Amino acid sequence: DMAFGTLTMGESLASTASLIGSPALAHGVERDVCAPFNKWLAQDKSWTGCFAGVFGGYVTASAMPDAIPVGLASNGQSAGFAGGCDMQFDKMVVGGEVSYAWMFGNLSDIGVDTDLTITGRAGYLITADTLLYGHGGWTRVEGTGFTIDGYKAGLGGEFRLPGSAMYLDARWTHA
């Protein structure tokens, strides 16, 4: 087993594109989950509510082992699931999210397997369907012979897809 001094998930989940949502869990759905879905599409444009879904993205990573003065670097893909809740206050939206991702591709070169993240976010609605936000929080990266706790911070944009409970969440994150 190799002891790692530092593991940097630089530009982690860079430009991650996510389609997250379901009629019962999408933003703004009334508390009565049996309410007709079309009623939500026609009337409720609030960002207050909870969500769940899946995501995928591109990841670059580097590591500096304690034992040798040579760093390792790699990139690959991630796929996972996320869930959270938001509250809207006029044009401001604040919320939190928990996500879990598996790493693929060349990331196996440095032994990175999974990433658990708990983040908060705060953003501003530039239109009723477009949120720009900053996010940050705690992360745990696990791999072959190591577990590292750290932080993540970044910027993102969330865009509702017209006529749908789905939305696109594109974000850049540094860990």
Side-chain angles (χ1 to χ4, degrees), residues 12 26 42 51 58 114 125 139-140 151 155 160 167-168 174-175:
S12 170
F51 58 91
Y58 179 78
T114 61
L125 291 166
T139 186
R140 170 169 283 174
Y151 70 93
L155 301 172
R160 291 183 199 224
Y167 57 94
L168 176 69
H174 181 80

Side-chain angles (χ1 to χ4, degrees), residues 18-100:
S18 307
L19 291 178
I20 301 177
S22 73
L25 298 173
H27 288 286
V29 174
E30 295 178 2
R31 293 197 190 282
D32 177 8
V33 295
C34 295
F37 184 55
N38 290 334
K39 181 179 177 184
W40 176 81
L41 290 174
Q43 296 177 4
D44 191 357
K45 289 293 188 172
S46 172
W47 287 73
T48 296
C50 295
F51 58 91
V54 297
F55 65 89
Y58 179 78
V59 180
T60 63
S62 62
M64 179 62 72
D66 287 334
I68 57 175
V70 178
L72 305 170
S74 192
N75 56 43
Q77 300 79 38
S78 68
F81 56 91
C85 294
D86 289 320
M87 279 293 272
Q88 180 178 346
F89 302 95
D90 194 29
K91 290 193 172 267
M92 298 295 296
V93 176
V94 296
E97 177 181 287
V98 175
S99 65
Y100 189 83

